[in-house]
Amino acid sequence: ILEVTTSPAETAPGLIFLGAQVRNGQNGALVVDNAGEPVWFELPAESTSLSKELRVQQYQGQPVLTWAEAAMTVGYGFGHYVIADAAYRPIARLGVGNGFPGGDVHEFVLTSRGTALVILYHPVEWDLSPIGGSRYGKVLDNIVQELEVETGRVLYEWHSLDHIGLDEAQNPFDASSDNPFDYFHLNSVNETPDGQMIVSARHTFGIYKLDGRTGEVIWRLNGTKSDFAMGEGTPFAWQHDARIHENGDLTLFDNAESNQELEATAWSRGMVLALDEDAMTASLVREYVHPTEILSTSQGNMQMLPNGNVFIGWGSAPVFSEFSPDGELVFNGRFPAAGTSYRAYRFEWVGHPAEPPAVAAERGDGDAVTVYASWHGATEVASWRALSGPSAGALAEAGTAPRDGFETVVELTTVERWVA
């Protein structure tokens, strides 16, 4: 059960898209309305997997739902990607290529070319002696693949170890750990308006612009080797979800800290940065901080909405919020305790489920009948009309009720045996 703690006021149109992770509950792809009521929910194909990155994208000129499903290990996953139509029917399932065992859930982006950008993590043997480890240690290579959706063919592949050294890592190396060193922790990849790519690496505090053809680093933003002079208020840490927009601004979610046990005054924020690629300076345009100064130690995202509002998923904190352009909180929702969503979005979406509505009827005292109606995934239901009669072929209207959440109750007074 989700709780809306700040009632919607001047929000952007649309529904809210979550990858629900709920302790002692069900995990899956979840769409809810502004009241926190479910509209559609889908369990992952495997009970041991999580569903993440649920959002609306365009494929072959049509809006589609996309999400990632994966079994999770330490900080990353092995799974696949799903594209579904407006009837919630899968029209494509993608896996990574070139022999890798599974894709990660941090990103799944459809391009205008009918391709998909995805991320995967691959442990490799590596000389870790420069950072105090074994010459025969293991490190995670962070990989971007561009996949042809129709065939799954790999069109492009980028490896972090080919371009980014271990010396850029800001997370501490633990020589006693048996886990491969996750020095980079790639968590977003997107195209830039000029046809290049932008990636975010949580463990270097760095955002990188890459040549879309060669993969060479064009520039680094933040981190130990920043090519930009970072203006007042611009440095960030442990960040997620870096995107460059048509006007050249860069948005990201600044986690600020990775450990809530520290006695720090840090709090997480959504950020808008102006980048001057001639002068190589970064300046803070706006920041969005929750009124309760949430510190999200992992996950999170920031979405620019068409009306100028901003939607923020607070990652490891069980909160998702919408702000006006000037930073006023206009919507706030919460999961139950320990519930989270890796990212949270708002999109306009029209669902036309292939299955018919569900209905149940219960006889009460005397002539009272209670009808329960729902239609999983339908987005345009305004009200329900209940019918009753002596047979299935002889029904007449017996009562109506406006839609009231996922399941609507219609109270009737009828002696008839048939209800629809």
Side-chain angles (χ1 to χ4, degrees):
I1 297 176
L2 303 184
E3 181 184 6
V4 174
T5 58
T6 299
S7 298
E10 300 182 3
T11 63
L15 300 167
I16 298 162
F17 293 75
L18 306 163
Q21 297 174 236
V22 183
R23 185 179 297 174
N24 301 320
Q26 290 180 306
N27 304 314
L30 174 65
V31 181
V32 301
D33 60 20
N34 273 353
E37 283 280 332
V39 173
W40 178 79
F41 178 73
E42 178 82 357
L43 290 166
E46 298 290 336
S47 61
T48 54
S49 293
L50 297 176
S51 297
K52 297 194 177 188
E53 254 297 84
L54 176 68
R55 59 171 139 169
V56 178
Q57 300 194 68
Q58 292 285 320
Y59 179 63
Q60 295 182 342
Q62 298 296 321
V64 292
L65 279 186
T66 66
W67 67 94
E69 296 181 3
M72 299 299 293
T73 180
V74 183
Y76 57 98
F78 293 96
H80 65 278
Y81 310 94
V82 183
I83 303 175
D85 64 15
Y88 304 97
R89 296 171 297 204
I91 56 178
R93 295 185 187 271
L94 287 172
V96 295
N98 290 346
F100 293 106
D104 182 60
V105 293
H106 280 93
E107 190 72 272
F108 179 31
V109 175
L110 297 180
T111 73
S112 58
R113 303 183 298 278
T115 65
L117 295 174
V118 300
I119 288 171
L120 61 120
Y121 290 69
H122 182 56
V124 297
E125 290 189 357
W126 206 257
D127 181 6
L128 301 183
S129 59
I131 57 172
S134 168
R135 288 183 57 196
Y136 308 100
K138 285 190 175 181
V139 67
L140 285 176
D141 191 12
N142 291 215
I143 302 170
V144 175
Q145 286 189 349
E146 182 176 9
L147 306 173
E148 189 174 59
V149 172
E150 292 182 347
T151 65
R153 183 165 59 103
V154 178
L155 304 176
Y156 173 87
E157 188 170 286
W158 181 87
H159 293 250
S160 65
L161 286 172
D162 290 342
H163 304 279
I164 313 295
L166 302 185
D167 59 339
E168 295 192 37
Q170 306 242 26
N171 59 318
F173 170 65
D174 182 2
S176 66
S177 175
D178 294 330
N179 295 319
F181 181 42
D182 186 3
Y183 86 105
F184 197 64
H185 203 84
L186 181 63
N187 58 34
S188 71
V189 55
N190 289 276
E191 292 183 300
T192 63
D194 60 358
Q196 311 301 343
M197 285 200 305
I198 186 111
V199 299
S200 167
R202 170 178 167 84
H203 287 172
T204 68
F205 302 178
I207 293 171
Y208 303 78
K209 185 176 182 180
L210 310 177
D211 186 292
R213 183 177 59 85
T214 67
E216 294 298 319
V217 176
I218 298 173
W219 50 245
R220 291 164 166 82
L221 175 70
N222 207 51
T224 61
K225 297 184 177 181
S226 180
D227 295 306
F228 286 83
M230 304 297 291
E232 182 179 356
T234 63
F236 47 86
W238 311 102
Q239 80 289 339
H240 286 77
D241 194 33
R243 303 178 190 277
I244 291 184
H245 301 267
E246 290 294 334
N247 65 355
D249 285 350
L250 182 144
T251 61
L252 71 142
F253 182 78
D254 174 22
N255 292 85
E257 184 51 75
S258 68
N259 187 351
Q260 286 182 323
E261 301 302 319
L262 295 177
E263 294 183 4
T265 57
W267 50 80
S268 303
R269 56 183 175 158
M271 299 178 68
V272 182
L273 301 181
L275 303 181
D276 187 330
E277 295 189 55
D278 295 322
M280 296 306 288
T281 58
S283 57
L284 182 64
V285 178
R286 289 183 302 279
E287 65 178 4
Y288 297 87
V289 177
H290 198 274
T292 62
E293 297 181 345
I294 289 173
L295 177 58
S296 172
T297 59
S298 69
Q299 310 168 82
N301 72 300
M302 171 178 169
Q303 178 194 13
M304 301 296 291
L305 298 172
N307 72 340
N309 283 5
V310 171
F311 204 85
I312 293 181
W314 295 95
S316 62
V319 183
F320 43 95
S321 310
E322 185 170 340
F323 296 85
S324 67
D326 60 3
E328 179 187 358
L329 185 68
V330 296
F331 172 84
N332 197 71
R334 290 185 62 91
F335 280 95
T340 63
S341 180
Y342 163 58
R343 289 177 177 171
Y345 298 98
R346 184 186 290 281
F347 291 106
E348 294 189 69
W349 170 253
V350 178
H352 296 286
E355 294 78 16
V359 62
E362 184 177 43
R363 174 73 72 184
D365 296 333
D367 298 337
V369 174
T370 302
V371 177
Y372 304 89
S374 62
W375 198 0
H376 186 214
T379 59
E380 297 182 302
V381 176
S383 62
W384 292 93
R385 184 163 61 104
L387 314 176
S388 68
S391 68
L395 300 174
E397 182 176 316
T400 63
R403 180 188 180 275
D404 182 23
F406 182 78
E407 184 177 68
T408 298
V409 174
V410 189
E411 300 287 359
L412 308 180
T413 300
T414 179
V415 298
E416 306 294 357
R417 297 180 59 206
W418 288 80
V419 173

